[in-house]
Amino acid sequence: MKKTVEVLPDQTALIARSLDLILTKLDTAIKERGQFTIALSGGSTPKPLYEAIAKQKLPWDKIHVFWGDERYVSPDHPDSNELMARTAWLNRVDIPPANIHAVPTLDNNPELSATKYEQHLQAFFQVAPGEFPALDVVLLGMGDDAHTASLFPHTAALQVCDRLITVGNKDGNPRITFTYPFINAARSVIFVVAGANKRPALAQVFAPVADDSTYPSRLIQPQGELWWLLDAAAGAGNRE
Ligand code: 6PG
């Protein structure tokens, strides 16, 4: 694993650097494999990044978008990560609808939805059960409790190592999430983290020793590249 920590002066610089890194990975992927696969994070931090990506002239037919996690709500619900990404980015570009691989959340059965998404991923990447395909980029945020995707502290999802997708749990509310081994199979994992409220959690995630179940972002140790892009508020005292 190659780990890089970059601290940018402010959120504007953080978003610009995040865009630059993603575009570099996109260009390499399309040159080498003819397509670019990215899993998106939710929450509020990435919204300006998605808006910036939407302004780029890109080969949209070669770009495939997945979600690293999703709230278990309909895609028109204000909490939907899919709705946020479509509004900020995907509805603004000419990407083929088939290239948008949304998480199914209308089965009224989170386990069934997780299995359906996993089967969709296995079919897309042409892998057998038990194999972990490598996305080009898994984009992640981190909560102030050090969760990432929907891998929350001390939840059952942290123990799932033989699946691509599982059911996360936030305060009793189901989420659909990549498992940490699936995230770790990515060619590049890029955390984009902003805000002073994230600083204490980051200190624990970067600490040589701390409890992984308490600070789940510690579980993200990809075989490929690990990037932590931080603004100064989050990064103060958290440089490598
Ligand atoms: C989600 C996200 C989650 C998010 C963090 C940080 O569905 O909420 O995927 O993991 O990245 O909670 O959220 P903010 O960017 O809003 O701080």
Side-chain angles (χ1 to χ4, degrees):
M1 177 186 81
K2 179 176 182 295
K3 178 180 177 181
T4 306
V5 179
E6 293 184 13
V7 179
L8 288 307
D10 54 32
Q11 206 223 11
T12 301
L14 173 65
I15 296 305
R17 176 63 181 126
S18 302
L19 175 65
D20 172 69
L21 181 57
I22 289 168
L23 294 179
T24 300
K25 297 305 177 188
L26 182 151
D27 187 52
T28 301
I30 290 173
K31 282 198 175 88
E32 291 180 0
R33 291 177 293 279
Q35 68 177 17
F36 175 64
T37 56
I38 182 170
L40 303 185
S41 63
S44 56
T45 303
K47 188 166 183 287
L49 172 57
Y50 298 160
E51 290 166 343
I53 297 174
K55 294 176 182 150
Q56 306 302 310
K57 283 184 71 62
L58 297 173
W60 296 112
D61 62 319
K62 295 181 171 57
I63 296 169
H64 287 268
V65 174
F66 304 82
W67 276 265
D69 73 318
E70 182 59 277
R71 291 85 182 275
Y72 204 63
V73 295
S74 68
D76 61 357
H77 188 284
D79 289 349
S80 166
N81 289 338
E82 176 187 347
L83 178 65
M84 187 273 275
R86 283 186 184 274
T87 306
W89 167 14
L90 301 171
N91 292 348
R92 303 180 185 189
V93 300
D94 191 21
I95 186 169
N99 290 25
I100 301 173
H101 306 267
V103 179
T105 59
L106 299 176
D107 300 300
N108 197 28
N109 179 337
E111 279 296 346
L112 173 60
S113 298
T115 299
K116 284 166 74 173
Y117 199 43
E118 180 172 69
Q119 289 170 345
H120 177 81
L121 284 151
Q122 287 166 334
F124 177 85
F125 287 102
Q126 297 178 352
V127 297
E131 282 185 75
F132 291 88
L135 273 78
D136 294 304
V137 168
V138 173
L139 190 61
L140 295 174
M142 189 194 74
D144 58 12
D145 61 354
H147 85 264
T148 190
S150 285
L151 301 170
F152 289 91
H154 306 296
T155 58
L158 304 185
Q159 309 307 320
V160 179
C161 298
D162 59 349
R163 304 277 303 275
L164 303 184
I165 306 294
T166 194
V167 178
N169 178 325
K170 179 179 184 178
D171 305 332
N173 298 309
R175 301 276 193 96
I176 307 297
T177 185
F178 279 16
T179 61
Y180 79 85
F182 183 26
I183 294 171
N184 285 339
R187 292 186 177 88
S188 295
V189 175
I190 303 173
F191 278 93
V192 181
V193 182
N197 64 314
K198 308 290 176 77
R199 202 181 305 167
L202 273 174
Q204 294 298 326
V205 172
F206 287 0
V209 178
D211 180 54
D212 292 350
S213 192
T214 305
Y215 305 105
S217 291
R218 293 177 60 87
L219 294 168
I220 307 308
Q221 306 286 342
Q223 290 102 325
E225 300 177 4
L226 176 59
W227 294 81
W228 285 90
L229 303 182
L230 314 172
D231 73 350
N238 281 317
R239 296 172 187 276
E240 276 293 271

